[in-house]
Amino acid sequence: MADTTTTQGGRRAAAAKPPYVQCIGAATLDTVLRVPAIPPHGKVLADACAVFGAGMASAAAASIARLGGRAGIWARIGDDEAGGRWRADLAGEGVDVSAVRVVPGRRTAISTIVVDAAGERLIVPFYDPELSRDPSWLPLASLAGAGAVLVDTRWPEGAAAALDAARAAGVPAILDADTADPDVLRDLAARADHVVCSEPGLALLEPSGDLAALADRLPAARVLAVTLGADGVRWIADRVSGVLPGFPVVAVDTLSAGDVFHGAYALAVAEGRGIPDAMRFAAAAAAIKVTRFGGRLGAPTRDEVDALLTGDAG
């Protein structure tokens, strides 16, 4: 049965489905430990712990679902306990995991993250070097029906294939341009039409940090942006510059803030929002996330983001 809503005159009409965002990239089982301070050596006792399925693109997909959008993840996992937990966690958030590739005999990526009292973190991931990198199984034709495609840098072959297919289909192709091999980062950035960088990612693409200089080297990119943590976000969209200061919040855990930002931004683009509005929506979602311990588990709902934005506007 189709979803329905009641119009002002009392008639029943079909409700539009939320836009669908296809995410491609990392799948990790994260263990997050909170400590008073990260020591240079020795032992320290944690006072909180969370274990959950994550990964850059996966956390973004879960954030999209929390925000009321529809999201799927294309990723590779092993046929191990960690992979089973990751898959159950993402499905539990409402993310479509039906096209995830399970590779027999291989290990799912894992990551241990230590978060201190100021919200900063130390991340130690492990990716199975024998996990197949072949993207030929990806159902790329299905991207034509997506509202946006979001990729990270952790599976370059899959990301490149998805970005190319999205652009060929006229679907917004968004790159989470974080720390990666510089050659990989440059190759993926040249394939995307939205390149949203972390500060380390921007430094690898353009050491000067000048978005205008990067725009000259990436003429196919419609939008270039860099997230600045507490200082907000800067961008160039269709050669017009914009800046948004950070929301005044107290950071508890910055883990996954970038993933939440990218997921919220991709959803806003899929909804047809203008770039300044999409940046503000994404920044608000990330600001709420950093006030909560637990990585992507702190991702907000749509109502929470709207409440922050309404209060900010007021």
Side-chain angles (χ1 to χ4, degrees):
M1 180 180 295
D3 293 336
T4 60
T5 56
T6 302
T7 65
Q8 188 173 12
R11 300 186 307 276
R12 302 295 287 179
K17 286 184 177 180
Y20 181 85
V21 179
Q22 185 63 60
C23 301
I24 299 95
T28 66
L29 186 67
D30 286 3
T31 299
V32 184
L33 301 166
R34 187 176 66 195
V35 300
I38 300 173
H41 54 78
K43 182 185 295 186
V44 61
L45 295 179
D47 59 26
C49 176
V51 181
F52 51 89
M56 296 164 66
S58 303
S63 300
I64 291 166
R66 289 261 184 109
L67 290 166
R70 295 181 298 134
I73 179 69
W74 293 346
R76 306 153 300 144
I77 59 175
D79 59 346
D80 54 5
E81 184 178 355
R85 172 66 184 271
W86 174 89
R87 189 179 186 119
D89 284 359
L90 269 293
E93 291 282 3
V95 176
D96 181 1
V97 297
S98 61
V100 169
R101 186 79 157 184
V102 180
V103 184
R106 299 270 60 93
R107 291 178 289 178
T108 301
I110 60 173
S111 187
T112 298
I113 303 101
V114 180
V115 179
D116 69 15
E120 295 304 320
R121 76 272 194 207
L122 172 67
I123 305 174
V124 185
F126 171 77
Y127 292 89
D128 185 345
E130 300 301 320
L131 195 63
S132 173
R133 301 168 71 93
D134 175 25
S136 63
W137 57 272
L138 290 173
L140 297 173
S142 67
L143 295 181
V149 171
L150 171 65
V151 309
D152 67 33
T153 60
R154 298 299 181 254
W155 178 26
E157 296 82 0
L163 290 172
D164 290 348
R167 292 185 68 178
V171 174
I174 304 167
L175 171 64
D176 178 349
D178 197 12
T179 304
D181 179 280
D183 290 336
V184 166
L185 198 56
R186 286 190 288 267
D187 175 70
L188 295 179
R191 298 171 188 266
D193 48 31
H194 297 246
V195 180
V196 184
C197 309
S198 65
E199 290 182 271
L202 177 60
L204 290 170
L205 286 171
E206 175 51 58
S208 72
D210 185 349
L211 283 178
L214 183 59
D216 289 338
R217 293 197 290 105
L218 295 174
R222 180 194 164 206
V223 178
L224 295 164
V226 56
T227 56
L228 304 169
D231 293 328
V233 56
R234 292 189 289 116
W235 70 88
I236 295 177
D238 299 322
R239 298 289 173 168
V240 177
S241 298
V243 62
L244 178 74
F247 288 86
V249 297
V250 176
V252 170
D253 176 8
T254 59
L255 179 65
S256 294
D259 306 329
V260 172
F261 183 100
H262 285 87
Y265 176 77
L267 177 58
V269 169
E271 291 176 345
R273 297 184 185 224
I275 298 306
D277 189 24
M279 292 292 178
R280 187 165 174 263
F281 180 76
I288 294 170
K289 187 263 116 14
V290 302
T291 66
R292 301 166 175 172
F293 171 74
R296 69 142 183 98
L297 299 181
T301 65
R302 174 74 63 126
D303 286 346
E304 290 173 324
V305 173
D306 287 346
L308 176 59
L309 292 174
T310 300
D312 180 66

